[in-house]
Amino acid sequence: MATIQETETTVLGACPHDCPDTCSMLVKVKDGRVTGVQGNPDHPFTHGRLCAKTNHYEERVYHPERLLYPMRRSGPKGSGQFTRIGWQEALDTIAARWKSIIAESGAQAILPYSYLGHEGLLNGLTVGDPFFNKLGATVSERTFCDSGACTAYIMTVGPTPGMDPESLAHSKFILLWACNMLSTNAHLWPFVAEAQRNGAKVVVIDPFRTRSAQLADQHIRIRPGTDTALALALMHVIIRDGLVDRSYVADYTVGFDELVEHVKPNTPAWAEAHTGVPAAVIETLAKEYAQSQPSAIRIGVGIERSAGGGQLVRALSCLPALVGAWRKPGGGILQLPLWAFPMNWPGLQRADLLPPGTRVLNQWELGRALTGALELDPPIRSLFVYNSNPLIVAPDQARMRTGLAREDLFTVVSEHFVTDTARYADILLPAATQVEQDDLMFSWGHLYLTLNRKAIEPEGESVSNAELFRRLARVMGFDDPFFFRSDEQMMRESMDWANPALAGITLESLAGKGYARLNLPPADQFAPHANGGFPTPSGKVELKSSIAAGGNFVLPVFRQGSNEFQDGSPAALLPTWIPPREAPKSNPALAQRFPLSMLSPKSHSFLNSEYANLARQVEREGPQHVLVNPADAASRRITEGMPVMVENARGAFRAVARITEDIMPGVVLAPLGYWAYRSAGEATPAALNPTAYADLGRAPTFSDNLVELRAAP
Amino acid sequence: MTHVVTSNCTGCRFTECVTVCPVECFHGDAERLYIDPGLCIDCGACIPLCPVKAIYDLVDVPAAQREWIAINAERAAPLPVMRAKQAALPDAEAQRVALGFA
Ligand code: SF4
Ligand code: SF4
Ligand code: SF4
């Protein structure tokens, strides 16, 4: 390793991003400036690596276009013209507008909009919740990611970490289902590779030949939105051929007899007709999955994004119990090991401050809510955006743009850069980056708690989100000392330190090494459900779900802690096939006009829209492109590199065609994240995405989306 | 996209780099290593481990070394994968000093 010069110090940090890997980051500082970052070589999961997004985090911190001062709009909405102002003027402007809006229309006329632009316990998902709950603003239902999978998983096995991701090294069979691990969960791959070297078979199920599919033993291509049919057929074969772990099922599941009847029609031939996966492949997959114990299923976060995405995760959460996979370390299903962290959610969100009856608005409704297409009383008069860039990541882009352009809408955006959304702000507020603030990080991809230490003073006048909400509480006249806690006090109150999972871990001990593994058995012994013990109402795997009987819901953690105005629509008690809304088979009329299914996954070098404005990452990824199968390209006379329009009834965007067998016929793939005002057109892939909910947890249906391609004019 | 092994590696082959690669994309001949651009995930972990600073993010490859981008792409895949650390070539230490990385 390079020798460290005397004036260079290393500060222990943590990657702030919404990524399961939550890397422990070494931040090199010289003369008060960050000179570079590196993955912590001592951390058992980070293993000395960061990623294509964050390797040069200092380029983000010192970027010449970074937003460093509060700004006031000085041109038409959306023009991106701003004038620097001071913090006091910014805060006074916000307070004056909000106080008059509240007096005239009530606090529900104010809508916060945020998600996981930061993942820390201080500055992340919940940072604004106590403030907006106290204010009585409309509750934002944030179902960007995993909400549908969470509802389905909890209906089946309860909020259990289930597997230690590191125990995949001990698996004998690994099914990566809708999970492009090498781009979105790359630090887990070495554990999969170790299992593979030890003889485990790795199978990838994806319409796209991902990097992970290239390294797997088998890649099964499946038509988008049809995976539930495959999962049910796997159950059918496992039951039909007596591959069931009878004693595990008898002792630790409920509803087996009904499931047996339920999946009788779901033969491999039936599934082949829906999925395009040959029946023989399904037969073999079922046998190998059942007979290679311990077997593991890793699902990706995009898995929920079609009409029946929730039922798919219900089915997949049932499978490990049928084959007894939970008996050994390395067996089960890996959804969110986040459930292992004893978080103090009530204290983080403070739903107790929320006036009863406060309305809840799902984030897919933003375009309609801002334009009056959704009748709201009072209408939304002010929007406060932080930790999110809805214009690029949320659906209904065209309508959202119209809504954001409303002269009477008072919009405040806190950001690192002037994003497409930020261009529509009346007031812009500069947010600190991770090296300029402290935080404590949970993980949804491993079992380590990580402390992020501030490495440098904030550039310009940027502030952490925690400080932002202290300032807002002050100008809004809040007097509860809760709103003025120090960062350290907030960290202390963010978790339940008395929980056994945190035994032996303190903020002080974290300061030494930067991270600590939760007090749980090591990966080679981690089998919490070897003898049942599922945190469900019955204590068993609920093949037939008692929670589902109560109807569909979104976990309160995704809705500022509120449990009012839940969806409540009926949910099937047994995992059930729901066809995609937009597919040639289920909607032939629509497919006549728009015959191709579009996927819009994360790009390898961007995290949603983050980094899509940075030269290094953009150079790697090239311009907005769309992957097209040669057959689909030929029938449209589209050639490699040709500019094309991708369109459906909701919108259109411009892209460069890349022709490849990596994408299956009938499907196109357009990576998400590119900034509209920096790209060729006004729109990006999100413009085509539907706003319709998936069946559970109000997950989006971005992969249930028919489009057509044509040569660009 | 990819990372690229440039000229300093030739005749050196300390192979500190290969053990940290999560996707086993280093391939080697008798003299040196190459990165398979089809597999490299740009994690950057190998860069600080190379004692002679031979590895660059493609975006950062110096002008005088850019020929190595194509050479890595051509030669890597057909050569055997290098996953475990090997003994350095006999003259490696002397070459390291000569390259100014003593
Ligand atoms: S984005 Fe993910 S993989 Fe990259 S450094 Fe952050 S946590 Fe690690
Ligand atoms: S450590 Fe550097 S010089 Fe040695 S083999 Fe790897 S790239 Fe070549
Ligand atoms: S950047 Fe990462 S993936 Fe690429 S060669 Fe280096 S270690 Fe391997």
Side-chain angles (χ1 to χ4, degrees):
Chain A
M1 302 231 359
T3 49
I4 292 170
Q5 295 174 24
E6 269 177 15
T7 50
E8 188 174 73
T9 53
T10 300
V11 179
L12 289 164
C15 175
H17 293 308
D18 182 16
C19 165
D21 295 9
T22 315
C23 291
S24 170
M25 195 183 238
L26 304 182
V27 182
K28 303 281 163 67
V29 181
K30 197 174 173 186
D31 302 328
R33 274 183 79 84
V34 173
T35 55
V37 295
Q38 196 193 322
N40 186 345
D42 300 330
H43 191 285
F45 203 82
T46 302
H47 237 277
R49 294 186 279 272
L50 294 175
C51 71
K53 292 152 268 227
T54 57
N55 275 335
H56 298 270
Y57 194 74
E58 70 283 2
E59 293 175 352
R60 185 173 183 88
V61 178
Y62 300 116
H63 197 283
E65 291 170 18
R66 193 171 150 206
L67 177 64
L68 293 177
Y69 303 96
M71 299 272 177
R72 178 191 286 282
R73 176 167 66 93
S74 57
K77 289 236 176 184
S79 66
Q81 294 167 36
F82 296 97
T83 312
R84 181 176 164 184
I85 56 173
W87 262 101
Q88 200 54 51
E89 185 183 339
L91 291 166
D92 288 345
T93 306
I94 296 168
R97 281 298 290 268
W98 280 359
K99 282 174 183 168
S100 77
I101 288 172
I102 292 169
E104 291 160 18
S105 310
Q108 292 186 97
I110 301 169
L111 176 69
Y113 201 100
S114 71
Y115 191 55
L116 274 166
H118 193 283
E119 202 183 272
L121 285 166
L122 253 59
N123 298 298
L125 180 70
T126 60
V127 59
D129 294 355
F131 174 85
F132 286 110
N133 284 345
K134 166 82 180 165
L135 201 63
T138 295
V139 169
S140 198
E141 188 174 64
R142 304 175 285 217
T143 54
F144 266 102
C145 186
D146 244 25
S147 170
C150 284
T151 298
Y153 182 82
I154 284 173
M155 281 178 169
T156 317
V157 293
T160 169
M163 293 185 72
D164 179 347
E166 292 174 57
S167 70
L168 284 184
H170 306 287
S171 305
K172 290 284 183 291
F173 191 91
I174 300 175
L175 211 40
L176 303 180
W177 205 311
C179 176
N180 182 9
M181 193 175 275
L182 284 165
S183 289
T184 57
N185 186 193
H187 294 77
L188 185 52
W189 179 259
F191 300 91
V192 174
E194 186 183 336
Q196 203 178 22
R197 282 197 298 277
N198 292 333
K201 182 166 180 180
V202 177
V203 180
V204 166
I205 298 178
D206 205 303
F208 175 48
R209 186 168 172 267
T210 59
R211 287 164 191 263
S212 319
Q214 292 173 43
L215 292 181
D217 298 291
Q218 186 182 4
H219 172 207
I220 297 175
R221 290 183 152 184
I222 187 162
R223 291 186 192 129
T226 66
D227 309 51
T228 314
L230 173 57
L232 294 173
L234 293 179
M235 290 186 185
H236 173 98
V237 176
I238 287 165
I239 293 170
R240 183 200 67 197
D241 291 359
L243 301 170
V244 171
D245 183 330
R246 291 249 154 226
S247 75
Y248 196 91
V249 165
D251 294 345
Y252 307 125
T253 72
V254 293
F256 180 70
D257 293 341
E258 281 147 291
L259 184 73
V260 168
E261 287 308 309
H262 184 72
V263 299
K264 270 207 176 125
N266 304 131
T267 62
W270 168 83
E272 175 175 344
H274 289 290
T275 61
V277 180
V281 171
I282 300 175
E283 297 270 356
T284 308
L285 180 66
K287 284 188 191 81
E288 289 180 346
Y289 169 72
Q291 292 177 329
S292 318
Q293 292 306 321
S295 59
I297 302 174
R298 170 55 161 168
I299 58 174
V301 293
I303 198 165
E304 62 184 15
R305 294 184 174 179
S306 56
Q311 289 302 320
L312 169 58
V313 177
R314 278 274 292 124
L316 296 180
S317 306
C318 291
L319 274 168
L322 295 184
V323 298
W326 293 112
R327 287 186 188 279
K328 290 187 196 149
I333 180 167
L334 182 54
Q335 192 243 354
L336 283 187
L338 173 63
W339 307 116
F341 291 78
M343 248 93 70
N344 174 14
W345 292 120
L348 284 163
Q349 299 191 295
R350 295 300 306 271
D352 58 301
L353 299 172
L354 196 60
T358 304
R359 73 180 174 201
V360 177
L361 187 70
N362 187 278
Q363 291 191 322
W364 312 141
E365 299 280 16
L366 185 63
R368 280 198 285 267
L370 294 182
T371 52
L374 184 73
E375 259 185 53
L376 289 173
D377 181 23
I380 302 299
R381 297 183 56 192
S382 178
L383 179 70
F384 189 94
V385 182
Y386 63 103
N387 280 346
S388 188
N389 182 9
L391 202 44
I392 299 304
V393 296
D396 218 7
Q397 201 172 69
R399 210 188 317 239
M400 208 186 305
R401 205 180 272 287
T402 307
L404 287 170
R406 254 173 57 196
E407 268 302 322
D408 66 321
L409 180 73
F410 178 63
T411 301
V412 182
V413 178
S414 166
E415 256 299 350
H416 291 160
F417 294 97
V418 184
T419 61
D420 283 280
T421 308
R423 283 165 79 87
Y424 286 89
D426 294 282
I427 299 285
L428 278 178
L429 300 173
T433 64
Q434 184 76 333
V435 294
E436 299 160 323
Q437 63 195 10
D438 286 316
D439 214 323
L440 183 62
M441 314 289 302
F442 59 61
S443 169
W444 50 279
H446 59 61
L447 299 176
Y448 301 83
L449 189 61
T450 314
L451 185 65
N452 178 71
R453 297 260 70 154
K454 177 174 162 178
I456 56 165
E457 287 305 315
E459 287 286 291
E461 293 179 3
S462 62
V463 302
S464 69
N465 287 336
E467 173 60 17
L468 166 64
F469 283 101
R470 282 192 282 265
R471 292 183 182 190
L472 287 170
R474 201 168 298 123
V475 290
M476 289 309 287
F478 291 7
D479 49 17
D480 184 342
F482 177 85
F483 292 100
F484 305 102
R485 296 171 303 158
S486 66
D487 285 356
E488 190 190 318
Q489 200 180 347
M490 289 171 73
M491 286 196 233
R492 288 199 190 285
E493 294 172 12
S494 65
M495 304 197 76
D496 170 15
W497 297 93
N499 187 291
L502 291 180
I505 306 172
T506 61
L507 280 184
E508 290 69 26
S509 72
L510 280 171
K513 221 159 65 157
Y515 63 90
R517 183 178 162 91
L518 297 179
N519 179 37
L520 294 166
D524 59 352
Q525 293 162 38
F526 193 91
H529 304 304
N531 300 303
F534 292 90
T536 55
S538 62
K540 299 181 179 191
V541 175
E542 300 204 351
L543 307 171
K544 181 179 179 186
S545 170
S546 63
I547 298 177
N552 181 23
F553 63 92
V554 172
L555 284 182
V557 65
F558 294 120
R559 29 185 3 251
Q560 299 177 209
S562 169
N563 201 24
E564 290 192 283
F565 308 108
Q566 281 284 9
D567 183 292
S569 55
L573 304 188
L574 290 160
T576 299
W577 163 240
I578 298 175
R581 281 190 197 99
E582 300 191 9
K585 205 172 152 76
S586 43
N587 196 340
L590 186 67
Q592 279 260 305
R593 293 171 61 206
F594 305 110
L596 302 167
S597 294
M598 185 178 86
L599 306 174
S600 52
K602 292 187 210 314
S603 167
H604 184 74
S605 302
F606 311 152
L607 209 141
N608 298 325
S609 65
E610 287 177 287
Y611 298 96
N613 61 324
L614 300 193
R616 175 181 301 273
Q617 285 80 358
V618 171
E619 188 174 335
R620 281 204 200 108
E621 298 301 323
Q624 173 77 62
H625 51 274
V626 59
L627 305 186
V628 193
N629 183 273
D632 295 320
S635 60
R636 290 167 180 77
R637 296 172 189 273
I638 288 169
T639 53
E640 174 69 22
M642 187 186 259
V644 294
M645 294 305 292
V646 188
E647 60 194 5
N648 64 16
R650 292 176 286 262
F653 68 94
R654 183 182 277 266
V656 172
R658 287 194 190 160
I659 299 172
T660 169
E661 293 278 0
D662 286 347
I663 191 75
M664 68 190 282
V667 183
V668 294
L669 183 149
L672 148 146
Y674 290 91
W675 291 22
Y677 83 88
R678 291 167 171 270
S679 329
E682 276 277 276
T684 63
L688 278 59
N689 284 345
T691 53
Y693 300 130
D695 57 325
L696 293 180
R698 291 188 163 176
T701 49
F702 301 159
S703 304
D704 190 342
N705 188 1
L706 283 173
V707 305
E708 177 57 308
L709 287 191
R710 62 180 166 85
Chain B
M1 280 293 160
T2 187
H3 279 50
V4 180
V5 190
T6 60
S7 64
N8 280 2
C9 182
T10 309
C12 178
R13 252 187 61 159
F14 285 102
T15 61
E16 312 287 341
C17 52
V18 303
T19 54
V20 77
C21 181
V23 288
E24 304 181 8
C25 64
F26 282 94
H27 297 246
D29 59 23
E31 284 206 299
R32 50 168 289 127
L33 299 190
Y34 310 87
I35 291 172
D36 179 354
L39 277 184
C40 170
I41 59 167
D42 284 325
C43 76
C46 51
I47 290 181
L49 293 189
C50 174
V52 292
K53 294 205 186 318
I55 310 174
Y56 290 90
D57 182 334
L58 182 134
V59 175
D60 298 326
V61 178
Q65 298 277 339
R66 292 196 78 84
E67 58 176 326
W68 287 101
I69 298 171
I71 299 174
N72 276 252
E74 269 160 38
R75 296 205 193 150
L79 291 166
V81 171
M82 293 276 168
R83 198 172 71 77
K85 185 169 161 37
Q86 319 270 313
L89 294 177
D91 293 335
E93 201 49 52
Q95 183 171 334
R96 168 171 33 189
V97 175
L99 288 168
F101 296 99

